[in-house]
């Protein structure tokens, strides 16, 4: 029993009423087993594979409808040619040659980007230098530097490395500088309050806070470097009696082997998917996603 007062000021006695739940077994159950289709659709890898399968089906159907292997081979014919050249030992050395040149140019580009970005963050003159250089050279296509590369370095790996460095340097520098500039003043003051300065201040405060932008620059720089390399190899990719994937595509085009052209492009796409979906995703999972900076 409980007592309450009415608007007239009288004391009203009312009985307590307790209602027992007839079935409390389901109360509190917030999780339910998901059906297989829903679990699959929640999986990022499965969704991407589904997209790729859909594109392959469209490719196959269009090639069958066109019925012109010289113009557009089927997906199955392209995969067969790719497998034969892979097993036959043609694609592997070409791919290794391209990746070796790419890693050299990409590495040099990253080192130069670190130097320029460090100057830009540490001084106003460095900032003006980076802004001026990026305004001048970032809009300049790397492939437009091929004639100069041929004159300066001749036909070979140094020319390829030169155009790759150009394609990597400005994208990475701009994104890294933007990331450092966007670090909040609160984080900067926190680092100073803890007595951090110099390299420790950069490593523990600036780098983690700016890493999403830096990682974006690394991705953009990789994409620019990869397509610049293939384009450059299409023009003068044969060096030291060997060529890369771009030269493989060029030779197949010259001999009207369209399925080999598509096999070369297929290899380029597969490498791009691997780097983007495996290597960079692994870095994201171990850094920005782990730190709660990205979903």
């Amino acid at each position: 029993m409980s007592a309450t007062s009415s608007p007239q000021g009288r004391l009203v006695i009312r009985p307590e009423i307790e209602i027992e739940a007839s079935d409390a077994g389901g109360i509190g159950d917030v999780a339910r087993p998901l059906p297989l289709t829903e679990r699959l659709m929640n999986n990022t890898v499965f969704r991407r594979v589904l997209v790729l399968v859909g594109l392959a089906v469209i490719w196959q159907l269009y090639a069958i409808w066109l019925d012109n292997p010289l113009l557009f081979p089927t997906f199955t014919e392209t995969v067969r040619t790719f497998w034969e050249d892979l097993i036959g030992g043609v694609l592997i050395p070409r791919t290794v040659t391209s990746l070796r040149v790419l890693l050299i140019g990409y590495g040099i580009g990253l080192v130069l980007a670190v130097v320029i970005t460090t100057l830009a963050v540490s001084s106003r003159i460095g900032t003006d230098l980076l802004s001026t250089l990026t305004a001048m050279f970032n809009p300049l296509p790397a492939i437009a530097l091929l004639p100069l590369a041929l004159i300066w370095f001749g036909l070979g790996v140094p020319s390829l490395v030169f155009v790759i460095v150009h394609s990597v340097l400005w994208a990475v520098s701009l994104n890294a500088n933007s990331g450092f500039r966007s670090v909040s003043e609160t984080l900067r003051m926190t680092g100073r309050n803890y007595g951090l300065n110099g390299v420790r201040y950069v490593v523990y405060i600036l780098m983690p806070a700016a890493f999403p932008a830096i990682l974006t620059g690394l991705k953009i720089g990789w994409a620019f470097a990869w397509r610049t390399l293939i384009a450059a190899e299409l023009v003068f990719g044969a060096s030291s009696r060997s060529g890369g994937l771009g030269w493989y595509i060029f030779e197949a085009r010259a001999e009207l082997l369209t399925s080999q052209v598509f096999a070369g492009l297929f290899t380029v796409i597969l490498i791009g998917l691997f780097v983007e979906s495996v290597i960079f995703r692994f870095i994201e999972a171990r850094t920005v996603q782990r730190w709660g900076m990205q979903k």
Side-chain angles (χ1 to χ4, degrees):
M1 305 288 289
S2 63
T4 59
S5 58
S6 66
Q8 292 79 16
R10 293 180 301 172
L11 192 63
V12 178
I13 305 298
R14 61 178 179 82
E16 294 287 350
I17 300 176
E18 296 182 2
I19 301 177
E20 295 184 0
S22 58
D23 183 14
I27 297 178
D29 292 342
V30 295
R32 62 180 178 85
L34 297 176
L36 178 61
T37 55
E38 190 170 348
R39 291 202 304 270
L40 290 176
M41 293 308 296
N42 288 334
N43 187 285
T44 303
V45 176
F46 176 80
R47 293 198 307 270
R48 293 194 174 191
V49 171
L50 197 63
V51 171
L52 294 176
V53 171
L55 292 175
V57 170
I58 295 173
W59 178 352
Q60 180 75 10
L61 293 177
Y62 176 74
I64 293 175
W65 174 80
L66 190 63
D67 194 21
N68 190 343
L70 182 62
L71 184 64
F72 200 91
T74 62
F75 177 77
T76 54
E77 176 67 16
T78 300
V79 172
R80 185 183 64 81
T81 304
F82 167 79
W83 181 252
E84 289 177 352
D85 286 352
L86 190 66
I87 298 299
V90 177
L91 270 176
I92 292 179
R94 299 297 181 93
T95 303
V96 171
T97 299
S98 291
L99 291 178
R100 179 173 59 86
V101 177
L102 176 72
L103 290 177
I104 295 173
Y106 192 69
I108 295 175
L110 291 185
V111 171
L112 293 177
V114 169
V115 174
I116 293 179
T117 306
T118 303
L119 292 175
V121 173
S122 59
S123 65
R124 291 183 178 179
I125 296 179
T127 302
D128 295 337
L129 177 65
L130 177 61
S131 300
T132 304
L133 291 179
T134 51
M136 292 170 56
F137 296 115
N138 193 41
L140 183 65
I143 204 70
L145 296 176
L146 285 178
L148 284 178
L150 285 170
I151 294 173
W152 292 344
F153 305 105
L155 185 65
V157 173
S159 298
L160 296 174
V161 170
F162 176 76
V163 294
I164 292 173
V165 169
H166 171 80
S167 63
V168 172
L169 176 59
W170 312 116
V172 176
S173 298
L174 278 175
N175 280 272
N177 183 62
S178 176
F180 284 127
R181 296 292 179 186
S182 63
V183 176
S184 66
E185 192 62 31
T186 303
L187 282 176
R188 296 175 184 269
M189 293 175 63
T190 302
R192 297 190 189 101
N193 289 337
Y194 275 98
L196 299 177
N197 52 48
V199 177
R200 296 176 68 238
Y201 176 73
V202 173
V203 171
Y204 291 109
I205 299 296
L206 295 183
M207 284 288 292
F211 198 74
I214 295 174
L215 187 59
T216 300
L218 293 176
K219 288 182 180 181
I220 297 174
W222 143 256
F224 283 179
W226 187 225
R227 66 189 187 188
T228 298
L229 173 63
I230 300 302
E233 286 180 340
L234 281 168
V235 179
F236 62 97
S239 61
S240 301
R241 292 172 296 177
S242 64
L245 283 173
W247 196 249
Y248 169 86
I249 296 171
F250 178 83
E251 288 180 324
R253 194 277 308 171
E255 297 174 8
L256 297 180
L257 300 174
T258 312
S259 60
Q260 280 194 356
V261 173
F262 275 80
L265 296 175
F266 189 67
T267 306
V268 173
I269 292 172
L270 287 179
I271 294 174
L273 285 175
F274 176 79
V275 173
E276 178 70 27
S277 302
V278 177
I279 297 179
F280 280 119
R281 188 163 293 274
F282 175 81
I283 297 174
E284 285 180 351
R286 293 297 184 273
T287 55
V288 292
Q289 291 182 2
R290 194 173 187 178
W291 301 336
M293 305 173 71
Q294 190 180 78
K295 294 183 179 180

